[in-house]
Amino acid sequence: MNDQQTPPAGRGATPLASCKEAARLMSRQQDTPLSDAESESLKQHLYTCLSCRRFDDQLLFLRKLARRYAEGGAD
Amino acid sequence: MTAAEKNKSAADAAKFAEIESQRTYLVRFAMAKLRDAEVAEDVVQEALLAALEGIGGFAGQSSLRTWLTSILKFKIIDWQRRAVTERAHFASAPEEDDSADPEWMDRLFDGTGHWSPRLAEWSHPDAALSQQQFFAVFERCMDRLPKAAARVFFQREVMGEETEQICKAEGITPSNCWVMLHRARLALRECLDRHWFQGGRETAGTPGDTP
């Protein structure tokens, strides 16, 4: 049940304080590249947060779903 | 009627039914571009008539939906050209206030900004892509979005357009566009989670009152 793990030591960027902010970045990443700092912070957050890794996967799936829908839906 | 003629008219009827079955999707597509339901219905009608006349040109290399969509795109552009004089229509302001997160968004996170409840894994999401019922749930989830958000999401993810192009057409800033897309994605994720992946399969016909 516990999503939190020990963050990796010795990395430069500040990890994001909240999943809410991480979710915003993950979504924006689908539309435009993030800055290096944003990207690094997000990476660190994802390392420690299972829910956000799931959200990232689900965003990718949502895109796949929408593209499949454009082609006609179910096989 | 000869046997050959009978076969031909049966084949035509089948093609007609197949084309007709794509109407709902095409209306959604047109709505994302044209905003006006009545106009969208009209343009789709024009596109379907053109498709019936030109069905011989459908080589079956792409899906029927893709082929019909390409015809519809031309019809939409035609209509937009004809409507150029009605500039006010395209210049209309965004329909929602974007300054604050809507209340339902706050309910997704706890006081410290962490997911509440935590996100559950979606088991075998790819298997859902082969079920027509899943696409029906997806459509109903899109219907629950605020209109502008639904349009922007459709243009971005279903049509695959770039945000820059979408913002321009919608008359909004890129950051507005990202906010709308993010909210749409959060809402759709919630809706699919609730009505499909977390045991909603049996009751998939009735997405509830959460966006």
Side-chain angles (χ1 to χ4, degrees), chain B residues 97-102 105 179 183:
Chain B
D97 172 24
D98 303 307
S99 54
D101 284 341
M105 259 181 81
V179 167
R183 287 178 188 171

Side-chain angles (χ1 to χ4, degrees), chain B residues 29-191:
Chain B
F29 190 101
M31 273 294 283
K33 281 300 200 187
L34 300 169
R35 301 185 184 198
D36 183 305
E38 221 169 294
V39 173
E41 301 268 0
D42 285 353
V43 172
V44 167
Q45 185 62 24
E46 273 181 40
L48 290 180
L49 288 173
L52 281 170
E53 282 169 20
I55 187 74
F58 175 54
Q61 279 156 345
S62 54
S63 71
L64 179 65
R65 179 170 290 183
T66 306
W67 181 68
L68 291 171
T69 303
S70 65
I71 296 173
L72 178 60
K73 279 181 187 163
F74 282 111
K75 294 291 174 191
I76 290 172
I77 292 168
D78 271 357
W79 188 88
Q80 286 172 331
R81 283 200 191 121
R82 291 201 299 266
V84 143
T85 45
E86 299 170 46
R87 287 198 180 279
H89 180 82
F90 294 104
S92 59
E95 286 147 42
E96 294 139 51
D97 172 24
D98 303 307
S99 54
D101 284 341
E103 202 190 323
W104 65 264
M105 259 181 81
D106 289 335
R107 287 200 300 271
L108 301 177
F109 302 95
D110 65 19
T112 60
H114 291 88
W115 295 102
S116 172
R118 290 184 174 147
L119 269 55
E121 191 176 4
W122 286 357
S123 62
H124 310 296
D126 285 338
L129 293 177
S130 58
Q131 288 179 259
Q132 202 57 58
Q133 210 192 359
F134 177 62
F135 285 89
V137 171
F138 177 53
E139 284 188 329
R140 283 195 293 273
C141 287
M142 284 195 290
D143 288 342
R144 307 199 65 82
L145 296 174
K147 280 205 175 83
R151 267 200 321 268
V152 169
F153 177 83
F154 201 99
Q155 291 177 74
R156 178 74 186 112
E157 301 290 10
V158 181
M159 300 182 188
E161 290 181 356
E162 293 301 323
T163 31
E164 207 173 289
Q165 199 180 344
I166 301 167
C167 305
K168 229 168 127 189
E170 292 281 323
I172 57 179
T173 64
S175 65
N176 254 333
C177 222
W178 291 322
V179 167
M180 282 165 88
L181 282 167
H182 179 46
R183 287 178 188 171
R185 289 173 181 138
L186 277 175
L188 287 171
R189 195 215 73 82
E190 275 298 298
C191 187

